[in-house]
Amino acid sequence: MAKDTPPRWDRRMQQRLARGEAAALGELYDRFASLVHGLAQRVLDDDEAADRVTREVFGHVWEHPDTYDPKQGSLRAWVAKLTRRTAVRHLRQAEAKAYEATGEGTEEELEGKILQAAAAARADYIMRSMPAPLWNALELAYVQRRNYRQAAEDLGVTEDEARRRLRLGLQLLSTANTRAVDGARPPGNGHPL
């Protein structure tokens, strides 16, 4: 599983970007491009649109490195948040165009689709960022259909530790639906498309 980069690396990367070091952008791209594209793909379900979002996100990072605040979290988390926000905006625009062209659907259905896509992208990010012990426990329980006793045995931990890992992993995943996603509005709030 991917891990957040050390805070020192994040600050140095931001400083290098602020100085206009093209090599810094290349390094950042190498490190986070698959994350950005994957999140955008999850929201938009379209490779070309995900490519556009990826270019837009890295363009924003290049042009506005000062908008990242290391006190607010890791550079990885900031890039993921920027990606979700950008992808949701693209989805909203695409769905609004489709609605105008066909007249099918309602604003509530559109917003529901956007919120669902945003929550799925957040869940993907959480899974990719989850520490390996939690991910391994969830994989054993929900992919391989092992109970907590079997998972504990496979992981070489106590049953209590296996239950703790499963509970914590599920708690992290549950935040995908409960946290507000930037750029997504709850349905029925009276905003026009």
Side-chain angles (χ1 to χ4, degrees):
M1 287 291 95
K3 300 236 188 237
D4 280 340
T5 54
R8 188 177 337 155
W9 184 90
D10 291 350
R11 286 189 298 275
R12 276 198 319 262
M13 178 58 66
Q14 181 189 29
Q15 292 165 353
R16 291 175 61 202
L17 289 166
R19 288 191 303 262
E21 288 185 32
L25 182 63
E27 186 179 331
L28 190 75
Y29 183 87
D30 289 345
R31 186 170 290 211
F32 297 137
S34 64
L35 169 71
V36 170
H37 192 273
L39 290 174
Q41 171 64 29
R42 183 72 164 133
V43 171
L44 299 166
D45 195 25
D46 178 344
D47 275 333
E48 286 182 33
D51 289 343
R52 286 190 299 275
V53 167
T54 301
R55 287 189 300 271
E56 188 175 331
V57 166
F58 284 101
H60 176 85
V61 169
W62 177 249
E63 293 172 6
H64 308 285
D66 55 318
T67 58
Y68 166 63
D69 181 2
K71 295 175 189 161
Q72 298 296 317
S74 70
L75 188 59
R76 184 178 200 280
W78 177 69
V79 168
K81 183 177 179 179
L82 182 60
T83 302
R84 283 193 307 272
R85 185 182 323 130
T86 304
V88 165
R89 181 174 37 80
H90 280 254
L91 179 62
R92 186 180 307 286
Q93 291 168 348
E95 292 295 323
K97 282 182 186 177
Y99 174 77
E100 288 175 11
T102 65
E104 295 178 13
T106 65
E107 182 179 340
E108 287 77 22
E109 290 172 340
L110 169 64
E111 292 301 323
K113 184 176 182 178
I114 290 168
L115 288 172
Q116 184 178 19
R122 179 159 172 71
D124 279 357
Y125 174 72
I126 290 168
M127 289 300 293
R128 291 176 187 209
S129 301
M130 190 176 288
L134 301 182
W135 165 249
N136 292 338
L138 287 174
E139 183 178 33
L140 286 169
Y142 293 98
V143 175
Q144 297 181 23
R145 300 286 192 215
R146 313 280 285 165
N147 65 35
Y148 74 91
R149 287 185 180 102
Q150 294 166 326
E153 186 177 315
D154 289 351
L155 294 169
V157 298
T158 66
E159 290 178 10
D160 285 342
E161 177 62 15
R163 276 194 297 263
R164 187 190 69 76
R165 290 179 184 183
L166 287 168
R167 185 174 46 250
L168 184 55
L170 290 173
Q171 287 171 342
L172 286 171
L173 280 175
S174 72
T175 66
N177 281 327
T178 58
R179 282 201 180 161
V181 178
D182 289 329
R185 297 186 302 254
N189 61 0
H191 290 290
L193 294 175

